[in-house]
Amino acid sequence: MTPDFRLDRTLSASELEDVLRQVGSERYHIRHPFHRLMVEGRLTRGQMQAWALNRYCYQAAIPRKDAIILSRIEDRSLRLVWRERILDHDGDGASPGGIERWMRLATGVGLDAAIVASQRLALPATRFSVGAYLTFVEKRTLLEAIASSLTEMFSPQVIGERVAAILQRYPYIDEDTLGYFTPRLTQAPRDVDVALAHVREHARSMETQQLVVDALIAKCEILWTMLDALHFSYVEPGHVPPGAFVPEAAS
């Protein structure tokens, strides 16, 4: 296999999983400079607000993404387990889902809920990236769409690092504000088990395995691009696009 993850032979299921985990170790956004600044406690309140506001666009799109995938699944047993992802983020009408919990984070760092929900102050690159992800799961093969969700293999690591660091280094943020992350520590591994089992079963040729690897790379690049935009706009050089969120000077 080459450094850009081009396969030169058909892999066993366990070898394919190893490659996918290697993709995450090299390409997941836990390595991004913006994330590193966050966990080191070096972001201002305004920069944390920009992160929460822009990330909301992605969080709000997750159940739409999963609804697209669900509509493409012919296997009833897989549909039954996949629909749990939609409930996780949309809620069930009685208990809040991930979108509501992320809004609690956004308002907890001082943002107005209506402004966050409107998404109108999000960076253009954020909206473009989220749209690209929705298009990806709609237009690519079902195998690729499911494989793109496997960034969840790496989310417990980033959550563990992020939550501990934020609570330690940002005194205006408490555990209730970060309530989004606790359920994800159990939901994400459950979702990974389902998606990974599907990938291991259906990616058996070099060609389909390459599609799976490339799909995970594409998802990592989408998440990386979103942090690139935040870093460019709010850290260095600090060029905020017209019409996007501008933190207060005191932040």
Side-chain angles (χ1 to χ4, degrees):
M1 185 178 63
T2 62
D4 61 347
F5 294 100
R6 307 312 300 172
L7 305 182
D8 57 9
R9 62 180 177 86
T10 302
L11 306 177
S12 67
S14 60
E15 288 175 325
L16 176 60
E17 182 176 341
D18 288 343
V19 171
L20 294 172
R21 293 189 182 278
Q22 186 180 348
V23 169
S25 70
E26 295 184 15
R27 306 278 183 109
Y28 195 53
H29 65 279
I30 196 170
R31 292 176 171 268
H32 195 283
F34 191 90
H35 176 77
R36 303 318 312 163
L37 290 173
M38 181 184 297
V39 299
E40 291 165 7
R42 296 167 58 192
L43 294 182
T44 66
R45 185 190 290 258
Q47 289 166 336
M48 291 292 285
Q49 290 174 337
W51 166 69
L53 181 147
N54 279 272
R55 179 77 183 197
Y56 178 85
C57 298
Y58 175 79
Q59 300 300 143
I62 289 176
R64 294 168 57 202
K65 174 266 297 184
D66 285 315
I68 293 170
I69 293 176
L70 186 68
S71 73
R72 303 182 63 193
I73 296 174
E74 296 183 3
D75 182 272
R76 179 175 179 269
S77 61
L78 182 56
R79 285 200 308 270
L80 288 173
V81 293
W82 203 273
R83 71 183 184 185
E84 291 299 318
R85 294 168 175 253
I86 299 175
L87 294 175
D88 288 343
H89 289 276
D90 268 341
D92 59 8
S95 55
I99 295 175
E100 291 175 76
R101 289 193 298 272
W102 194 271
M103 182 61 78
R104 188 188 309 157
L105 189 160
T107 56
V109 298
L111 293 167
D112 177 80
I115 289 176
V116 175
S118 74
Q119 303 185 31
R120 64 184 180 84
L121 298 185
L123 296 169
T126 297
R127 292 196 296 267
F128 183 86
S129 297
V130 171
Y133 187 32
L134 294 175
T135 299
F136 186 97
V137 299
E138 178 185 5
K139 300 298 184 183
R140 299 297 185 95
T141 66
L142 177 61
L143 180 61
E144 290 170 280
I146 288 176
S148 71
S149 74
L150 286 173
T151 47
E152 292 172 340
M153 289 194 293
F154 323 116
S155 63
Q157 179 186 3
V158 76
I159 289 173
E161 181 180 50
R162 178 183 288 156
V163 170
I166 289 176
L167 291 176
Q168 178 183 359
R169 297 186 170 100
Y170 300 88
Y172 56 90
I173 299 178
D174 58 22
E175 291 187 15
D176 184 65
T177 301
L178 299 181
Y180 167 82
F181 294 106
T182 301
R184 295 305 301 158
L185 291 173
T186 54
Q187 292 169 355
R190 177 207 66 196
D191 294 344
V192 166
D193 288 345
V194 173
L196 194 56
H198 183 87
V199 165
R200 288 171 64 105
E201 179 180 355
H202 294 279
R204 297 191 175 184
S205 67
M206 188 174 75
E207 292 74 21
T208 55
Q209 290 175 349
Q210 188 68 66
L211 289 177
V212 163
V213 172
D214 290 345
L216 182 57
I217 290 173
K219 175 64 177 306
C220 286
E221 289 175 342
I222 286 170
L223 296 174
W224 194 278
T225 297
M226 291 171 62
L227 290 189
D228 274 349
L230 283 168
H231 198 277
F232 183 88
S233 299
Y234 299 106
V235 181
E236 178 65 36
H239 294 324
V240 180
F245 171 74
V246 177
E248 295 181 8
S251 296

